[in-house]
Amino acid sequence: MRKAEIVATVLEMADRIGPDRVTTAAVAERIGVTQAALFRHFPSKAELWAAVAEQVTDTLATAWGAALEDVSDPLERVRALVAAQLAVIARTPAIPMLLFSRELTIENEVLRGAFQERLGAFHEMLAADLAAAQAQGRIPAELVPRDIAHLLSSLVQGAAIRWALGERKTSMEETGLALLDVQLRLLQRQEGSRRDA
C-alpha cells in the first residue's frame, strides 16, 4: 500500500461523502487494510490531511506552470491560469468541498494554511498579468488589478461549487471559461468605450 493510494482514496471519499465524514477507519476499510496499517504510513489524521493538502497544492502549482509555458500575452496568461485551475478541480472534485469543510476551516491549520498559500499565489499571478494588461491599455486604468483578480477567483470558485453540487453533466471547464471570457470582454469593452469617449 502506498501513500499516494491512501491520499487518492481520501480525495475520492471527500468528494463522495464530504471531507468531514472521512475518518481513518473509513479510509482503511475502503482500501482493505487495518487502521493500524494505515497509521504506519500516517501516524495521525492531521498528517493524513497534510499529505492531501500537499498533493492538491503541488498538482495546482504544476498545472499552472504547464499552462503558462510559452504564453506571453497577459490576458492569454489569465485565461490559461483559470483554465488550468478549472481542469484540476474537474479532475479532483473534492477541492471545492475541502475549501468549505470543517476540517479545513476549523480543525486543521496545516490544511487551511496550505490552501490559503496556494490560492494566494494564484491570486497574485492573476493580479500580475492583469496589471500587465492594464499597462498595455487593455483594462481600465482606474480598476485595481488585485480587485479584478478577486473577481476572477470568485468566478472560478462559483463555477466549481455549482458543478460540484450539481449533477456534473456539463463541463465545468467549459462553463467556467465561458464566464471568464464574458468578464474579460466586459473589462476590455469598458476600456474601449472610455478611449472612444
Side-chain angles (χ1 to χ4, degrees):
M1 178 175 55
R2 297 175 303 157
K3 288 186 175 184
E5 180 188 3
I6 298 170
V7 169
T9 301
V10 171
L11 286 168
E12 181 271 323
M13 292 179 69
D15 177 42
R16 190 167 44 82
I17 65 173
D20 301 328
R21 296 181 63 198
V22 175
T23 64
T24 53
V27 173
E29 181 180 346
R30 177 84 172 165
I31 295 173
V33 298
T34 65
Q35 198 171 4
L38 186 75
F39 282 136
R40 282 198 289 276
H41 294 282
F42 298 104
S44 69
K45 187 178 181 185
E47 288 183 49
L48 176 57
W49 280 113
V52 169
E54 182 179 1
Q55 167 68 29
V56 171
T57 56
D58 286 352
T59 299
L60 287 169
T62 300
W64 300 339
L68 294 178
E69 203 170 295
D70 302 323
V71 181
S72 58
D73 179 83
L75 291 181
E76 287 179 16
R77 286 173 59 87
V78 166
R79 194 174 197 282
L81 275 171
V82 170
Q85 186 85 338
L86 292 167
V88 170
I89 294 169
R91 289 193 308 270
T92 315
I95 291 175
M97 302 306 174
L98 285 171
L99 293 176
F100 294 100
S101 69
R102 179 179 178 84
E103 186 70 46
L104 178 73
T105 57
I106 296 175
E107 296 177 2
N108 194 317
E109 289 185 22
V110 172
L111 187 63
R112 183 172 61 250
F115 276 106
Q116 284 177 338
E117 179 182 344
R118 193 59 69 197
L119 293 175
F122 178 70
H123 179 263
E124 291 303 315
M125 292 167 78
L126 287 175
D129 286 318
L130 290 162
Q134 192 175 54
Q136 294 174 350
R138 297 164 69 190
I139 290 177
E142 66 272 15
L143 299 180
V144 178
R146 287 183 180 213
D147 291 345
I148 304 170
H150 279 302
L151 179 67
L152 299 184
S153 295
S154 297
L155 182 148
V156 171
Q157 292 169 3
I161 290 169
R162 280 193 306 276
W163 178 78
L165 295 177
E167 295 180 4
R168 302 182 189 178
K169 290 182 178 177
T170 59
S171 167
M172 188 258 297
E173 296 162 82
E174 287 179 17
T175 301
L177 287 175
L179 292 172
L180 173 68
D181 289 341
V182 168
Q183 185 62 69
L184 291 177
R185 281 197 303 271
L186 289 172
L187 287 170
Q188 292 175 82
R189 182 172 296 154
Q190 182 181 357
E191 177 58 20
S193 299
R194 210 169 60 86
R195 280 198 306 266
D196 294 339

Coordinates of all heavy atoms in Angstrom, one line a residue, residues 52-125:
V52 N -2.7 15.2 2.0 CA -3.7 15.5 1.0 C -3.5 17.0 0.5 O -3.5 17.2 -0.7 CB -5.2 15.4 1.6 CG1 -6.2 16.0 0.7 CG2 -5.5 13.9 1.8
A53 N -3.3 17.9 1.4 CA -3.0 19.3 1.1 C -1.8 19.4 0.2 O -1.8 20.1 -0.8 CB -2.8 20.1 2.3
E54 N -0.8 18.7 0.5 CA 0.5 18.7 -0.3 C 0.2 18.2 -1.7 O 0.6 18.8 -2.7 CB 1.6 17.9 0.4 CG 2.9 18.0 -0.4 CD 4.0 17.2 0.3 OE1 3.7 16.5 1.3 OE2 5.1 17.1 -0.3
Q55 N -0.5 17.1 -1.8 CA -0.9 16.6 -3.1 C -1.7 17.6 -4.0 O -1.3 17.8 -5.1 CB -1.6 15.3 -2.9 CG -2.3 14.7 -4.2 CD -1.3 14.3 -5.2 OE1 -0.2 13.8 -4.9 NE2 -1.7 14.4 -6.5
V56 N -2.7 18.1 -3.4 CA -3.6 19.0 -4.1 C -2.8 20.3 -4.5 O -2.9 20.7 -5.7 CB -4.8 19.4 -3.3 CG1 -5.6 20.5 -4.0 CG2 -5.7 18.2 -3.2
T57 N -2.1 20.9 -3.6 CA -1.4 22.2 -3.9 C -0.2 22.0 -4.9 O 0.0 22.8 -5.7 CB -0.9 22.9 -2.6 OG1 -0.1 22.0 -1.9 CG2 -2.1 23.3 -1.7
D58 N 0.4 20.8 -4.8 CA 1.5 20.5 -5.8 C 0.9 20.4 -7.2 O 1.5 20.8 -8.2 CB 2.3 19.3 -5.4 CG 3.2 19.5 -4.2 OD1 3.4 20.7 -3.8 OD2 3.8 18.6 -3.7
T59 N -0.2 19.7 -7.2 CA -0.9 19.5 -8.5 C -1.3 20.8 -9.1 O -1.2 21.0 -10.3 CB -2.2 18.6 -8.3 OG1 -1.7 17.3 -7.8 CG2 -2.9 18.4 -9.6
L60 N -1.8 21.7 -8.3 CA -2.2 23.0 -8.8 C -1.0 23.8 -9.3 O -1.0 24.3 -10.4 CB -2.9 23.9 -7.7 CG -4.3 23.4 -7.3 CD1 -4.7 24.2 -6.0 CD2 -5.3 23.7 -8.4
A61 N 0.1 23.8 -8.6 CA 1.3 24.5 -9.0 C 1.8 24.0 -10.3 O 2.2 24.7 -11.2 CB 2.3 24.5 -7.9
T62 N 1.8 22.7 -10.4 CA 2.3 22.0 -11.6 C 1.5 22.4 -12.8 O 2.0 22.7 -13.9 CB 2.4 20.5 -11.5 OG1 3.3 20.2 -10.4 CG2 2.9 19.8 -12.7
A63 N 0.2 22.4 -12.6 CA -0.8 22.7 -13.7 C -0.6 24.2 -14.1 O -0.6 24.5 -15.3 CB -2.2 22.5 -13.2
W64 N -0.4 25.1 -13.2 CA -0.2 26.5 -13.5 C 1.1 26.7 -14.4 O 1.1 27.4 -15.4 CB -0.1 27.4 -12.3 CG -1.4 27.3 -11.4 CD1 -2.6 27.0 -11.8 CD2 -1.4 27.7 -10.1 NE1 -3.5 27.1 -10.7 CE2 -2.8 27.5 -9.6 CE3 -0.5 28.1 -9.1 CZ2 -3.2 27.7 -8.3 CZ3 -0.9 28.3 -7.8 CH2 -2.2 28.1 -7.4
G65 N 2.1 26.0 -13.9 CA 3.4 26.1 -14.6 C 3.3 25.6 -16.0 O 3.8 26.3 -17.0
A66 N 2.6 24.5 -16.2 CA 2.5 23.9 -17.5 C 1.6 24.8 -18.4 O 1.9 25.0 -19.6 CB 1.9 22.5 -17.5
A67 N 0.6 25.4 -17.8 CA -0.4 26.2 -18.6 C 0.3 27.5 -19.1 O 0.0 28.0 -20.2 CB -1.6 26.6 -17.7
L68 N 1.2 28.0 -18.3 CA 1.9 29.3 -18.7 C 3.1 29.2 -19.6 O 3.6 30.2 -20.0 CB 2.2 30.1 -17.4 CG 1.1 30.5 -16.5 CD1 1.6 31.2 -15.3 CD2 0.1 31.4 -17.3
E69 N 3.5 27.9 -19.8 CA 4.7 27.7 -20.6 C 4.4 28.3 -22.0 O 3.4 28.0 -22.7 CB 4.9 26.2 -20.7 CG 6.3 25.8 -21.1 CD 6.6 24.4 -20.9 OE1 6.5 23.9 -19.7 OE2 6.8 23.7 -21.9
D70 N 5.3 29.1 -22.5 CA 5.3 29.7 -23.8 C 4.1 30.6 -24.1 O 3.7 30.8 -25.2 CB 5.3 28.6 -24.9 CG 6.5 27.7 -24.8 OD1 7.6 28.3 -24.5 OD2 6.4 26.5 -25.1
V71 N 3.4 31.1 -23.0 CA 2.3 32.1 -23.1 C 2.8 33.4 -22.6 O 3.2 33.5 -21.4 CB 1.1 31.6 -22.4 CG1 -0.1 32.6 -22.6 CG2 0.6 30.2 -22.8
S72 N 2.9 34.4 -23.5 CA 3.4 35.7 -23.0 C 2.4 36.8 -22.9 O 2.5 37.7 -22.1 CB 4.5 36.2 -24.0 OG 4.0 36.2 -25.3
D73 N 1.3 36.7 -23.7 CA 0.2 37.8 -23.7 C -0.4 37.7 -22.3 O -0.9 36.6 -21.9 CB -0.8 37.5 -24.8 CG -1.9 38.6 -24.7 OD1 -1.7 39.7 -25.3 OD2 -2.9 38.3 -24.1
P74 N -0.5 38.8 -21.6 CA -1.1 38.8 -20.2 C -2.5 38.3 -20.1 O -2.8 37.5 -19.2 CB -0.9 40.2 -19.7 CG -0.7 41.1 -20.9 CD -0.1 40.2 -22.0
L75 N -3.4 38.7 -21.0 CA -4.7 38.2 -20.9 C -4.9 36.7 -21.3 O -5.7 36.0 -20.8 CB -5.7 39.0 -21.8 CG -5.9 40.5 -21.2 CD1 -6.9 41.2 -22.1 CD2 -6.4 40.4 -19.8
E76 N -4.0 36.3 -22.2 CA -4.0 34.8 -22.5 C -3.4 34.0 -21.4 O -3.9 32.9 -21.1 CB -3.1 34.6 -23.8 CG -3.8 35.0 -25.1 CD -2.9 34.8 -26.3 OE1 -1.9 34.0 -26.2 OE2 -3.2 35.4 -27.4
R77 N -2.5 34.7 -20.6 CA -2.0 34.0 -19.4 C -3.1 33.9 -18.3 O -3.2 32.9 -17.7 CB -0.8 34.8 -18.8 CG 0.5 34.6 -19.7 CD 1.6 35.5 -19.2 NE 1.9 35.3 -17.8 CZ 2.8 34.4 -17.3 NH1 3.4 33.6 -18.2 NH2 3.1 34.3 -16.1
V78 N -3.9 34.9 -18.2 CA -5.0 34.9 -17.3 C -6.0 33.7 -17.6 O -6.3 32.9 -16.8 CB -5.8 36.2 -17.3 CG1 -7.1 36.1 -16.6 CG2 -5.0 37.3 -16.6
R79 N -6.3 33.6 -18.9 CA -7.2 32.6 -19.4 C -6.5 31.2 -19.2 O -7.2 30.2 -18.7 CB -7.5 32.7 -20.9 CG -8.7 31.9 -21.3 CD -9.1 32.2 -22.7 NE -10.4 31.7 -23.0 CZ -10.7 30.4 -23.3 NH1 -9.7 29.5 -23.3 NH2 -12.0 30.0 -23.5
A80 N -5.2 31.1 -19.4 CA -4.5 29.8 -19.2 C -4.5 29.4 -17.8 O -4.7 28.2 -17.4 CB -3.1 29.9 -19.8
L81 N -4.3 30.4 -16.9 CA -4.3 30.1 -15.4 C -5.7 29.6 -15.0 O -5.8 28.6 -14.3 CB -3.9 31.3 -14.6 CG -2.4 31.6 -14.4 CD1 -2.3 33.0 -13.8 CD2 -1.8 30.5 -13.6
V82 N -6.7 30.3 -15.4 CA -8.1 29.9 -15.0 C -8.4 28.5 -15.6 O -9.0 27.7 -14.9 CB -9.1 31.0 -15.4 CG1 -10.5 30.5 -15.2 CG2 -8.9 32.3 -14.6
A83 N -8.0 28.3 -16.8 CA -8.3 27.0 -17.5 C -7.6 25.9 -16.7 O -8.2 24.8 -16.5 CB -7.9 27.0 -18.9
A84 N -6.4 26.1 -16.3 CA -5.6 25.1 -15.5 C -6.3 24.8 -14.2 O -6.4 23.7 -13.8 CB -4.2 25.6 -15.3
Q85 N -6.7 25.9 -13.5 CA -7.4 25.7 -12.2 C -8.7 24.9 -12.4 O -8.9 24.0 -11.6 CB -7.7 27.1 -11.7 CG -8.3 27.1 -10.3 CD -7.2 27.1 -9.2 OE1 -6.1 26.7 -9.5 NE2 -7.5 27.5 -8.0
L86 N -9.5 25.3 -13.4 CA -10.7 24.5 -13.6 C -10.5 23.1 -13.9 O -11.2 22.2 -13.5 CB -11.5 25.2 -14.7 CG -12.1 26.6 -14.4 CD1 -12.6 27.3 -15.7 CD2 -13.2 26.5 -13.4
A87 N -9.4 22.8 -14.7 CA -9.1 21.4 -15.1 C -8.7 20.6 -13.9 O -9.1 19.4 -13.8 CB -8.0 21.4 -16.2
V88 N -7.9 21.2 -13.0 CA -7.5 20.4 -11.8 C -8.7 20.2 -10.9 O -8.9 19.0 -10.4 CB -6.5 21.2 -11.0 CG1 -6.2 20.6 -9.6 CG2 -5.1 21.3 -11.8
I89 N -9.6 21.1 -10.8 CA -10.8 20.9 -10.0 C -11.7 19.8 -10.6 O -12.3 19.0 -9.9 CB -11.6 22.2 -9.8 CG1 -10.8 23.2 -9.0 CG2 -12.9 22.0 -9.1 CD1 -11.3 24.6 -8.9
A90 N -11.8 19.8 -12.0 CA -12.6 18.8 -12.6 C -12.1 17.4 -12.4 O -12.8 16.5 -12.2 CB -12.7 19.1 -14.1
R91 N -10.7 17.3 -12.3 CA -10.1 16.0 -12.1 C -10.1 15.7 -10.6 O -10.0 14.5 -10.3 CB -8.7 16.0 -12.6 CG -8.5 16.0 -14.1 CD -7.1 15.7 -14.5 NE -6.1 16.6 -13.9 CZ -5.6 17.7 -14.3 NH1 -6.1 18.2 -15.4 NH2 -4.7 18.4 -13.7
T92 N -10.2 16.7 -9.7 CA -10.2 16.4 -8.3 C -11.4 17.2 -7.7 O -11.3 18.2 -7.0 CB -8.9 17.0 -7.7 OG1 -7.8 16.5 -8.5 CG2 -8.7 16.5 -6.2
P93 N -12.6 16.6 -7.9 CA -13.8 17.4 -7.5 C -14.0 17.6 -6.0 O -14.9 18.3 -5.5 CB -15.0 16.5 -8.1 CG -14.4 15.2 -8.4 CD -12.9 15.4 -8.6
A94 N -13.1 17.0 -5.2 CA -13.2 17.2 -3.7 C -12.7 18.6 -3.3 O -13.0 19.0 -2.2 CB -12.4 16.1 -3.0
I95 N -12.0 19.2 -4.2 CA -11.3 20.5 -3.8 C -12.4 21.5 -3.4 O -12.2 22.1 -2.3 CB -10.5 21.1 -5.0 CG1 -9.2 20.2 -5.2 CG2 -10.1 22.5 -4.7 CD1 -8.4 20.6 -6.4
P96 N -13.5 21.8 -4.1 CA -14.4 22.8 -3.5 C -15.0 22.4 -2.2 O -15.2 23.2 -1.3 CB -15.5 22.8 -4.6 CG -14.9 22.3 -5.8 CD -13.9 21.3 -5.4
M97 N -15.2 21.1 -2.0 CA -15.7 20.6 -0.7 C -14.7 20.8 0.4 O -15.0 21.2 1.6 CB -16.1 19.1 -0.8 CG -17.1 18.8 -1.8 SD -18.6 19.8 -1.7 CE -19.5 19.3 -3.1
L98 N -13.4 20.6 0.1 CA -12.4 20.8 1.1 C -12.3 22.3 1.5 O -12.1 22.6 2.7 CB -11.0 20.4 0.5 CG -10.7 18.9 0.4 CD1 -9.4 18.7 -0.4 CD2 -10.6 18.3 1.8
L99 N -12.5 23.2 0.6 CA -12.4 24.6 0.9 C -13.4 25.1 1.9 O -13.2 26.1 2.6 CB -12.5 25.4 -0.4 CG -11.3 25.3 -1.4 CD1 -11.5 26.0 -2.6 CD2 -10.0 25.7 -0.7
F100 N -14.6 24.4 1.9 CA -15.6 24.8 2.8 C -15.9 23.8 3.9 O -16.9 23.9 4.6 CB -16.9 25.1 2.0 CG -16.7 26.2 1.1 CD1 -16.5 26.0 -0.2 CD2 -16.8 27.5 1.6 CE1 -16.3 27.1 -1.1 CE2 -16.6 28.6 0.7 CZ -16.4 28.4 -0.6
S101 N -15.0 22.9 4.2 CA -15.2 21.9 5.2 C -14.8 22.3 6.6 O -14.0 23.2 6.7 CB -14.4 20.6 4.8 OG -13.0 20.9 5.0
R102 N -15.4 21.7 7.6 CA -15.0 22.0 8.9 C -13.5 21.6 9.2 O -12.8 22.2 9.9 CB -15.9 21.2 9.9 CG -15.6 21.4 11.4 CD -16.6 20.6 12.2 NE -16.2 20.7 13.6 CZ -16.6 21.7 14.4 NH1 -17.3 22.7 13.9 NH2 -16.2 21.8 15.7
E103 N -13.1 20.5 8.5 CA -11.7 20.0 8.6 C -10.8 21.1 8.2 O -9.8 21.4 8.9 CB -11.5 18.8 7.7 CG -10.2 18.2 7.8 CD -10.0 17.4 9.1 OE1 -10.9 16.7 9.5 OE2 -8.9 17.6 9.7
L104 N -11.1 21.9 7.2 CA -10.2 23.0 6.7 C -10.4 24.2 7.5 O -9.4 24.8 8.0 CB -10.5 23.3 5.3 CG -9.7 24.4 4.7 CD1 -8.3 24.0 4.4 CD2 -10.3 24.9 3.4
T105 N -11.7 24.6 7.7 CA -11.9 26.0 8.3 C -11.7 26.0 9.8 O -11.5 27.1 10.4 CB -13.3 26.5 8.0 OG1 -14.3 25.5 8.4 CG2 -13.5 26.6 6.5
I106 N -11.8 24.9 10.5 CA -11.8 24.9 12.0 C -10.7 24.0 12.5 O -9.9 24.4 13.4 CB -13.1 24.6 12.6 CG1 -14.2 25.6 12.2 CG2 -13.0 24.4 14.1 CD1 -15.6 25.3 12.6
E107 N -10.6 22.8 12.1 CA -9.9 21.8 12.8 C -8.4 21.6 12.3 O -7.6 21.1 13.1 CB -10.6 20.4 12.6 CG -12.0 20.4 13.3 CD -12.7 19.1 13.2 OE1 -12.2 18.2 12.5 OE2 -13.8 19.0 13.6
N108 N -8.1 22.0 11.1 CA -6.8 21.7 10.6 C -6.1 22.9 10.0 O -6.3 23.3 8.9 CB -6.9 20.6 9.5 CG -5.6 19.9 9.2 OD1 -4.6 20.6 9.1 ND2 -5.6 18.6 9.1
E109 N -5.2 23.5 10.9 CA -4.5 24.7 10.4 C -3.5 24.4 9.3 O -3.3 25.3 8.5 CB -3.8 25.3 11.6 CG -4.7 25.9 12.7 CD -3.9 26.6 13.8 OE1 -2.7 27.0 13.6 OE2 -4.5 26.8 14.9
V110 N -2.9 23.3 9.3 CA -2.0 22.9 8.2 C -2.7 22.9 6.9 O -2.2 23.5 5.9 CB -1.3 21.6 8.5 CG1 -0.4 21.1 7.3 CG2 -0.4 21.7 9.7
L111 N -3.8 22.2 6.8 CA -4.6 22.1 5.6 C -5.1 23.5 5.2 O -4.9 23.9 4.0 CB -5.8 21.2 5.8 CG -6.7 20.9 4.6 CD1 -5.9 20.1 3.6 CD2 -7.9 20.0 5.1
R112 N -5.6 24.3 6.1 CA -6.1 25.7 5.8 C -4.9 26.5 5.3 O -5.1 27.2 4.3 CB -6.7 26.3 7.1 CG -7.3 27.7 6.8 CD -8.1 28.2 8.0 NE -7.3 28.3 9.2 CZ -7.4 27.6 10.3 NH1 -8.3 26.6 10.3 NH2 -6.7 27.7 11.3
G113 N -3.8 26.5 6.0 CA -2.6 27.3 5.6 C -2.1 26.9 4.2 O -1.8 27.8 3.4
A114 N -2.1 25.6 3.9 CA -1.6 25.2 2.6 C -2.5 25.7 1.5 O -2.1 26.2 0.4 CB -1.6 23.7 2.5
F115 N -3.8 25.6 1.7 CA -4.8 26.1 0.7 C -4.7 27.6 0.6 O -4.8 28.2 -0.5 CB -6.2 25.6 0.9 CG -6.4 24.3 0.4 CD1 -6.5 23.2 1.2 CD2 -6.6 24.0 -1.0 CE1 -6.7 21.9 0.8 CE2 -6.8 22.8 -1.5 CZ -6.9 21.7 -0.6
Q116 N -4.6 28.3 1.7 CA -4.6 29.8 1.7 C -3.3 30.2 0.9 O -3.4 31.2 0.1 CB -4.6 30.3 3.1 CG -5.9 30.3 3.7 CD -5.9 30.8 5.2 OE1 -4.8 30.8 5.8 NE2 -7.0 31.3 5.7
E117 N -2.2 29.6 1.2 CA -1.0 30.0 0.5 C -1.1 29.8 -1.0 O -0.7 30.6 -1.8 CB 0.2 29.2 1.1 CG 1.5 29.5 0.4 CD 2.7 28.6 0.9 OE1 2.5 28.0 2.0 OE2 3.7 28.6 0.3
R118 N -1.6 28.6 -1.4 CA -1.6 28.3 -2.8 C -2.7 29.2 -3.6 O -2.4 29.7 -4.7 CB -2.0 26.8 -3.0 CG -1.7 26.3 -4.4 CD -0.3 26.5 -4.9 NE 0.6 25.6 -4.2 CZ 1.9 25.8 -4.2 NH1 2.5 26.8 -4.8 NH2 2.7 24.9 -3.5
L119 N -3.8 29.4 -2.9 CA -4.8 30.2 -3.6 C -4.3 31.7 -3.6 O -4.7 32.4 -4.5 CB -6.2 30.1 -2.9 CG -6.8 28.7 -3.0 CD1 -8.1 28.6 -2.2 CD2 -7.1 28.4 -4.5
G120 N -3.6 32.1 -2.6 CA -3.0 33.4 -2.6 C -2.0 33.6 -3.8 O -1.9 34.6 -4.4
A121 N -1.2 32.5 -4.0 CA -0.3 32.5 -5.2 C -1.0 32.7 -6.5 O -0.6 33.4 -7.4 CB 0.6 31.3 -5.2
F122 N -2.2 31.9 -6.6 CA -3.0 32.0 -7.8 C -3.5 33.4 -8.0 O -3.4 34.0 -9.1 CB -4.2 31.0 -7.7 CG -5.1 31.0 -8.8 CD1 -4.8 30.5 -10.0 CD2 -6.4 31.5 -8.6 CE1 -5.7 30.5 -11.1 CE2 -7.4 31.5 -9.7 CZ -7.0 31.0 -10.9
H123 N -4.0 34.0 -6.9 CA -4.5 35.4 -7.0 C -3.4 36.4 -7.4 O -3.6 37.3 -8.2 CB -5.0 35.8 -5.6 CG -5.5 37.2 -5.5 ND1 -4.8 38.2 -5.1 CD2 -6.7 37.7 -5.9 CE1 -5.5 39.3 -5.1 NE2 -6.7 39.0 -5.7
E124 N -2.2 36.2 -6.8 CA -1.1 37.1 -7.2 C -0.6 37.0 -8.6 O -0.3 38.0 -9.3 CB 0.1 36.9 -6.2 CG -0.1 37.3 -4.8 CD -0.5 38.8 -4.7 OE1 0.1 39.7 -5.3 OE2 -1.5 39.1 -4.0
M125 N -0.7 35.8 -9.2 CA -0.3 35.5 -10.6 C -1.4 36.2 -11.5 O -1.0 36.9 -12.5 CB -0.2 34.0 -10.9 CG 0.9 33.4 -10.2 SD 0.8 31.6 -10.2 CE 1.3 31.2 -11.9

